[in-house]
Amino acid sequence: MILQTTVAQARRLLIAVLCAASFSAHADLRILACEPEWGQLATEIGGDLVTVKSASAPGQDAHHIQARPSLLAQVRRADMVLCTGAGLETGWLPVLLNRGSNPDVRQAPGLFMAAEQVERLEIPATLDRADGDVHAMGNPHVHLDPNRVITISQQLAERFATLDPDNGARYREQQQAWQAAFEPNVAAWKKQAAPLEGLKVISYHRTWAYLLDWLGMTRVDELEPKPGLPPTPSHLADLVGKAEKEQVRLILYQPINGDKAPNWLASRTAACAVELPFSPGEEDTDTLTSLYDTLIQRLTSALQACERGKA
Ligand SMILES: [Zn+2]
């Protein structure tokens, strides 16, 4: 009798342990981030309450991603799909969400669009496909302004709390801790970037619009004739005159753009080409903090080197 009771108790205990284990496994919010920057932010804010996968790798062109079968499986399992939005993923995300057949992530609260939580730059007055194939809802590359990232992190914590109310207080605490650590850097970066203020640049794509706006730099033009379209010989020829007239100092490009057009323009003008990362995980960056560190360090040292080299 005693033995039977003990076995029954042990069985009950085992069931309780298994239930607790399976509950905690399901308690994790499963996040599929479209881009590494949002995956990184979700990890910072969600901590061990979230499991994060990224649909694109650092350095990949997020305007164009293949909706491959492994991604469909991740959409099916996700509690949240976390993307830039504002049209950045128009070419692939709708397909992924349709084929993923997970109604929870096809709209809010399971679908979170970071760029749509903040004011965007470059919203076109009229919609015309002739203006290029991207950026119809304004410039989506908002992760390159740390102040907008702070706003997005607050909204993201609230959204996590909506999806996982039992842990709402922890998401808010983790966001506050992250912001408290991040904010002093924002002021330090701005100070470090003081020599860049007022500087005129040409960028390959409208990639760093928010960074330039934050640091008081001016983008005179792009190497792309329209967002998403590759440089043409006639546009490049026009840029030579424009760079000279406007006294452009730096030509900014990402590794995926290739250095051919930037170097061509640099060889014909007083400007210098500088390759910059776009997402955390590229080159010597791993977090959003180290991404901004690297961006500002590269820009300031490129300006110094250019002043020495082309003086
Ligand atoms: Zn873009």
Side-chain angles (χ1 to χ4, degrees), residues 292-303:
Y292 294 119
D293 274 338
T294 302
L295 283 168
I296 288 165
Q297 209 268 323
R298 289 258 178 105
L299 285 167
T300 49
S301 41
L303 178 63

Side-chain angles (χ1 to χ4, degrees), residues 63 88 134-135 140-141 205:
H63 304 88
L88 177 67
V134 292
H135 298 192
H141 305 303
H205 177 67

Side-chain angles (χ1 to χ4, degrees), residues 109 157-165 168 171-172:
E158 288 307 315
R159 190 62 68 84
F160 285 165
T162 302
L163 292 172
D164 179 16
Y171 292 118
R172 292 185 184 105

Side-chain angles (χ1 to χ4, degrees), residues 113-127:
M113 298 301 212
E116 295 167 27
Q117 313 297 318
V118 290
E119 193 189 328
R120 290 185 302 284
L121 302 173
E122 302 169 3
I123 293 181
T126 53
L127 268 189

